[in-house]
Amino acid sequence: MVTTAVTETPTTSTSADAPPAPVLKKVVTPKRSSSKDASPKPAEPRIDIDWLSHYLLGTWAEARLESRAVTARPEMQRIEGQSTAEHRKTTLGQLHLLVKEGAVNKAFPKRLGGQDDHGGNIAGFEELVTADPSLQIKSGVQWGLFGAAVLHLGTEYHHDTFLPSIMSLEVPGAFAMTETGHGSDVASIGTTATYDSETEQFIIHTPFRGAWKDYLGNAAVDGTAAVVFAQLITAGVNHGVHAFYVPIRSADGTFLDGVGGEDDGLKGGLNGIDNGRLHFDHVRVPRLNLLNRYGDVAADGTYTSSISSPGRRFFTMLGTLVQGRVSLDGASTAAAKIALKIAITYGSQRRQFTAGSDTDEEVLLDYQKHQSRLIPRLATTYAASFAHEVLLTKFDSVFSGAGDTDVDRQDLETLAAALKPLSTWHGLDTLQEAREACGGAGFLAENRLTSLRADLDVYATFEGDNHVLLQLVAKRLLTDYSRRFAKADVGVLARYAVEQATDRAVNGSGLRRLAQNVSDRRSVARSVGQLRSARVQRALLTDRVETMVGEIAGNLRAAGKGSKKKAADLFNANQNAMIEAARAHGELLQWEAFTDALTKIDDEGTKAVLTWVRDLFGLGLIEKHAAWYLINGRLSPSRARAVQAYIERLTARLRPHAVDLVDAFGYGPEHVRAPIASGQEAARQNEARDYYRDLRASGNAPVDERAPKK
C-alpha cells in the first residue's frame, strides 16, 4: 500500500445506511501508546482483497477464471505492431486454439458436445478482451453471432446439419445482417429472399449497392458460409426479415457462383478481424436453409408462423440475438478495469514535482486533480460491474428457460439496451482518461491503452448504435404508446418507468419536502448527512427518471390524435429528451445494482469502503445532472455545492484504497501486460531517490544557485 499525504478518520453517522463522514487530516506517524495515552481511534477500514476479487467474479466465477487462464498464455495475446495480414492470421490461429481448449462450446447443446451454459459462455467470452479485442470479437462473430443465429433461429435439422462444423471451426462464418444502407434499421434492409416453389429454393439477391452486406467479420477472407438476413417473399407477399444459411466460398477460398464481396481494409481498430462486404446475384439455396424457428415456408410456398404479428415476430427473432449486447457490456467493463489497473498502479508509483518536500517528489495519485480524474471513474466501473452481473443473470435465466416468458425477454432486451450504451461509453472515456493520466508513457503501444481505446471505439455502434438503443429503452418506458398512448394516464407511464428500475422508496412530494427542508436549514453538514443516505440518493435518482418520463408522456399525448406525419414530428421533437430519460434510467439501474451488491458483503471494512465507492458513484450522477436538479427545484444551490464538496472528500477518502480496489479486479501482470504497471516505475523511482540521497550524503552534491549564500 502506498502512503498518501492525506487521510481521514470516521465520525459517528446519523443514518443507518450512511457511511461515516470523512474528516480530513494530515498523516502523522503514530506515537507508541502508553498508559497515559488516550484510547486509540478506530483503525481505517481495509478491503479484503481476496474476498472482493472472488465476489467480483460473480455467479460464473469458474468460467471467468478458466478464460483468464487461457488469455494468460502468450500465444493467445495480441502482438503489437503486426501488419493487418499478420494480425488476421494470428487471430484465426487463436480461434483454433480456443476450439482445442474446448472454450467455445458452453452455449451449445449437450447432445452436440456443448454444455448448455449460456451465462458461463458469455462470462468466459467477455474476458477474451484482455488478450486481444480482435480475438474476442472474431470469436463472437463465429460462435456468438453466426453459430448463435443457427442455434436460436434454427430448429433441430439446422442444429444437426450446421452446428458441429461451426463449433469445430471447420466452417468459419459471417453474420450478414447489416447493410451499407441500413445498420440499426434492420427491418428496412434491401436484400430479398424470394421463394421459387417449382425448385423449392430461395433466391437471395441484393438489388442495389446499398443492400450489400457490410462490415461483416469473417467476410473478407475466412468465411465459407453466412447467416444472411433478407426480406422473405413468397407468393407475392413480403413476410419481413428472416435468416438463411448461405454458403459463400468453396474450400479453396473462392466465392461461389453469384456471390461477390470486398475487403473493408484497414480500420480504426480490431484489425485482427477480416471485415468485409458481401453481395448476392440471384443465389439459390434450398428451402430447408431457412432458419425457421419463428417462420416457415412449405414446399408449395405457404407461409406459416407461430407469431401472427409481423412486428412481434421480427422483434422476437432479433431478441434471440441479444447476447451480443450483453457481452459488449461486460467486455467494455473489463477493459475499463484493465485501464484503471494500469493508470492507478502507475499513478501510485510515478513521482513528479517536489511540492511538499525539498528532496522527495510527490506521487501523482496524491494530487487532488489526479484523484478526481481516476477515482470517480473507478466508482463507475464498480457500478457497471455489478450491473453487468444483474444483466448476465437475467440473460442466463431467459436462455436457460428458467424464466423465458415474453415479459422476461422484453425486460432482458430493455436491460441490455440500457446498460450497453453506458458501459461502452464509459469504457472509451476511461481508456482515454487513463491514457492521459499516464502521460507520454500512456501513449506507448507497449502499455496497451491506445490500442485498447482504438479497438473499443466501435463498441459504441456494435450491436446497435448507442443512441438508437437508448431510444428503444425510452419507448419501452413510455409503454407501447403507439397503441395505447391516447388512453394512458401520465401517472401510469411515469410509474412504469420507476417499476422497471426499483421499488419506489420516497414519493415525489415527500422528496420535494425533503429537499426544501434541507435548503431552509442552510446547513452544509446536514446536507452531507442527507446525501450519504441511500434513501435520499435513490429518491433523487428515481425522481429524475419519473419526472422526465412523465413530461415526455405529456408532450406526446397528442401523437395519437393527428396524422402519421404529425406524430412523427412530435416524436422527433422529443427524441433528445427520450434518450436522456433512458440514460437516467440506465444510471439508476447501475446504482441499484451496486446498492444491492452491498447487502451481500459481510466484512465490515470491505463494506465500508465499497459504500463510499457507491456514494461517490451516486453523488457523481447527481453532480453530473446538477443543472436538472436545480432547474426542477430538487436541489437548492447550497445543497448542490454540498454535493460537489462531498465528492471531493469522498475521492480523497478513497485514495488510500485505490490500489486495493483495482487489485481486487483480479487481473495479474499476464493480463495487464503494461510495463508501467509492472513495478518497473517504482524501481526507477527508488533508484533515482537512492542516487540523490547518496549524493547528498557524500557531500559532493552541487549547490543549487538559488540556495542562500553562507
Side-chain angles (χ1 to χ4, degrees):
M1 193 65 192
V2 178
T3 302
T4 179
V6 177
T7 189
E8 301 161 343
T9 55
T11 60
T12 302
S13 173
T14 57
S15 175
D17 56 1
V23 180
L24 298 177
K25 64 180 254 183
K26 289 187 177 180
V27 171
V28 295
T29 302
K31 297 184 294 183
R32 192 178 300 276
S33 62
S34 69
S35 58
K36 295 182 180 180
D37 288 339
S39 299
K41 293 183 178 180
E44 178 79 5
R46 296 299 299 269
I47 297 169
D48 184 336
I49 297 177
D50 290 340
W51 183 91
L52 180 57
S53 182
H54 188 270
Y55 186 46
L56 290 172
L57 290 171
T59 303
W60 292 273
E62 184 177 349
R64 291 191 185 280
L65 292 174
E66 288 176 358
S67 185
R68 291 185 186 186
V70 172
T71 61
R73 292 164 48 181
E75 64 268 30
M76 299 302 296
Q77 297 167 356
R78 175 172 181 161
I79 302 171
E80 298 289 353
Q82 283 189 311
S83 68
T84 297
E86 292 169 337
H87 196 181
R88 286 177 173 182
K89 183 177 179 180
T90 297
T91 306
L92 180 61
Q94 290 167 340
L95 259 64
H96 283 288
L97 289 174
L98 288 178
V99 173
K100 186 177 179 180
E101 290 290 329
V104 302
N105 295 338
K106 281 188 170 64
F108 293 107
K110 288 183 178 179
R111 67 184 183 82
L112 296 177
Q115 299 177 31
D116 283 319
D117 181 4
H118 300 280
N121 176 63
I122 296 296
F125 163 72
E126 60 201 23
E127 292 290 341
L128 295 178
V129 75
T130 65
D132 183 358
S134 285
L135 171 61
Q136 183 219 352
I137 297 303
K138 190 173 177 73
S139 65
V141 169
Q142 176 66 21
W143 297 294
L145 291 175
F146 176 55
V150 174
L151 174 63
H152 297 301
L153 298 180
T155 51
E156 188 170 320
Y157 164 78
H158 304 103
H159 299 168
D160 293 341
T161 305
F162 302 125
L163 281 182
S165 56
I166 293 173
M167 293 164 65
S168 68
L169 200 58
E170 179 185 347
V171 175
F175 183 77
M177 176 185 283
T178 299
E179 296 181 351
T180 306
H182 284 97
S184 297
D185 186 6
V186 178
S188 299
I189 60 175
T191 302
T192 57
T194 305
Y195 184 65
D196 178 1
S197 59
E198 292 186 4
T199 61
E200 296 189 26
Q201 294 175 325
F202 283 99
I203 304 170
I204 311 297
H205 185 58
T206 47
F208 46 84
R209 176 60 182 82
W212 284 22
K213 300 298 181 180
D214 212 342
Y215 322 117
L216 314 177
N218 284 340
V221 178
D222 298 328
T224 59
V227 169
V228 178
F229 288 79
Q231 305 284 352
L232 189 158
I233 301 170
T234 180
V237 178
N238 185 348
H239 293 279
V241 177
H242 289 65
F244 302 81
Y245 185 94
V246 182
I248 60 172
R249 282 189 178 91
S250 61
D252 64 5
T254 59
F255 280 121
L256 299 177
D257 290 344
V259 181
E262 297 176 351
D263 193 324
D264 278 330
L266 185 67
K267 308 183 296 292
L270 297 178
N271 283 301
I273 307 172
D274 57 323
N275 294 93
R277 307 179 181 97
L278 295 175
H279 54 87
F280 305 92
D281 184 5
H282 298 90
V283 174
R284 289 178 174 267
V285 297
R287 177 176 65 89
L288 293 179
N289 281 27
L290 165 65
L291 301 180
N292 62 342
R293 179 177 177 183
Y294 296 106
D296 197 12
V297 173
D300 64 359
T302 303
Y303 179 84
T304 57
S305 173
S306 59
I307 304 174
S308 58
S309 166
R312 184 163 163 263
R313 184 191 314 133
F314 171 75
F315 284 110
T316 299
M317 285 192 287
L318 263 60
T320 63
L321 305 173
V322 71
Q323 66 187 48
R325 294 170 187 171
V326 176
S327 62
L328 289 178
D329 178 60
S332 298
T333 303
K337 291 177 179 178
I338 292 291
L340 289 165
K341 171 73 173 176
I342 294 170
I344 287 177
T345 300
Y346 181 67
S348 70
Q349 298 173 359
R350 177 76 156 86
R351 293 178 177 273
Q352 193 77 59
F353 303 115
T354 54
S357 168
D358 291 333
T359 57
D360 289 339
E361 295 176 297
E362 300 292 330
V363 171
L364 289 181
L365 203 55
D366 283 345
Y367 289 106
Q368 184 187 55
K369 185 59 181 177
H370 212 76
Q371 294 170 9
S372 67
R373 295 171 73 182
L374 297 176
I375 294 178
R377 287 176 171 84
L378 179 59
T380 301
T381 302
Y382 265 82
S385 183
F386 289 127
H388 178 68
E389 180 68 12
V390 174
L391 174 59
L392 190 54
T393 301
K394 184 67 176 177
F395 170 82
D396 183 75
S397 176
V398 168
F399 280 79
S400 68
D404 187 15
T405 65
D406 283 345
V407 172
D408 289 322
R409 285 186 174 267
Q410 290 172 16
D411 288 347
L412 171 61
E413 292 163 20
T414 302
L415 187 58
L419 295 181
K420 182 263 185 180
L422 270 60
S423 59
T424 53
W425 278 327
H426 171 66
L428 290 171
D429 172 68
T430 300
L431 284 161
Q432 181 63 28
E433 195 65 42
R435 205 296 296 159
E436 294 181 28
C438 293
F443 196 61
L444 298 179
E446 68 177 8
N447 290 315
R448 300 188 64 204
L449 294 170
T450 53
S451 60
L452 279 171
R453 173 62 175 78
D455 285 339
L456 262 71
D457 196 333
V458 75
Y459 285 28
T461 49
F462 261 173
E463 301 298 317
D465 177 275
N466 283 352
H467 291 97
V468 174
L469 292 181
L470 289 177
Q471 184 170 294
L472 293 175
V473 174
K475 288 182 178 180
R476 188 67 51 82
L477 293 177
L478 289 166
T479 72
D480 237 350
Y481 81 92
S482 61
R483 285 191 297 109
R484 299 183 297 158
F485 184 78
K487 299 179 182 179
D489 179 79
V490 174
V492 171
L493 293 169
R495 284 195 297 276
Y496 177 79
V498 181
E499 289 166 1
Q500 292 291 309
T502 178
D503 292 329
R504 191 173 172 189
V506 179
N507 64 41
S509 61
L511 175 68
R512 291 177 178 84
R513 286 196 298 270
L514 172 64
Q516 187 61 46
N517 287 342
V518 173
S519 176
D520 290 343
R521 291 172 182 170
R522 304 275 183 189
S523 171
V524 173
R526 287 196 182 96
S527 295
V528 169
Q530 295 280 0
L531 293 168
R532 293 202 318 269
S533 165
R535 180 179 62 87
V536 172
Q537 291 177 37
R538 176 183 285 112
L540 287 167
L541 296 173
T542 302
D543 183 59
R544 184 164 183 263
V545 178
E546 272 195 302
T547 303
M548 294 175 78
V549 172
E551 288 178 352
I552 296 166
N555 294 340
L556 294 176
R557 283 182 81 79
K561 300 178 181 179
S563 65
K564 184 176 181 180
K565 177 66 166 59
K566 181 179 179 181
D569 289 344
L570 188 59
F571 183 88
N572 189 52
N574 286 274
Q575 187 178 44
N576 288 340
M578 290 175 65
I579 290 172
E580 191 60 28
R583 188 196 294 259
H585 172 73
E587 292 168 343
L588 176 57
L589 290 170
Q590 290 180 325
W591 184 93
E592 284 287 350
F594 202 152
T595 302
D596 289 344
L598 291 174
T599 66
K600 302 177 180 68
I601 301 175
D602 294 326
D603 179 72
E604 292 184 5
T606 304
K607 189 167 189 173
V609 174
L610 283 187
T611 299
W612 299 331
V613 177
R614 191 280 313 275
D615 289 348
L616 181 58
F617 172 68
L619 296 177
L621 293 176
I622 294 168
E623 181 187 42
K624 177 182 175 182
H625 305 301
W628 186 93
Y629 286 107
L630 287 165
I631 290 170
N632 287 276
R634 303 309 197 266
L635 287 178
S636 66
S638 62
R639 196 178 191 206
R641 285 193 293 272
V643 171
Q644 183 180 33
Y646 191 52
I647 285 173
E648 291 181 355
R649 294 169 67 184
L650 273 175
T651 302
R653 178 70 166 173
L654 287 166
R655 160 62 182 97
H657 305 283
V659 173
D660 289 349
L661 286 165
V662 295
D663 285 349
F665 292 149
Y667 292 116
E670 68 277 15
H671 302 113
V672 178
R673 304 193 308 284
I676 57 172
S678 67
Q680 290 183 11
E681 182 60 31
R684 283 193 293 266
Q685 293 293 333
N686 289 336
E687 179 188 24
R689 296 172 80 192
D690 290 345
Y691 169 79
Y692 285 117
R693 184 188 63 239
D694 293 344
L695 185 62
R696 289 191 300 270
S698 72
N700 296 322
V703 177
D704 192 319
E705 70 172 354
R706 294 170 297 183
K709 299 284 191 288
K710 293 186 179 179

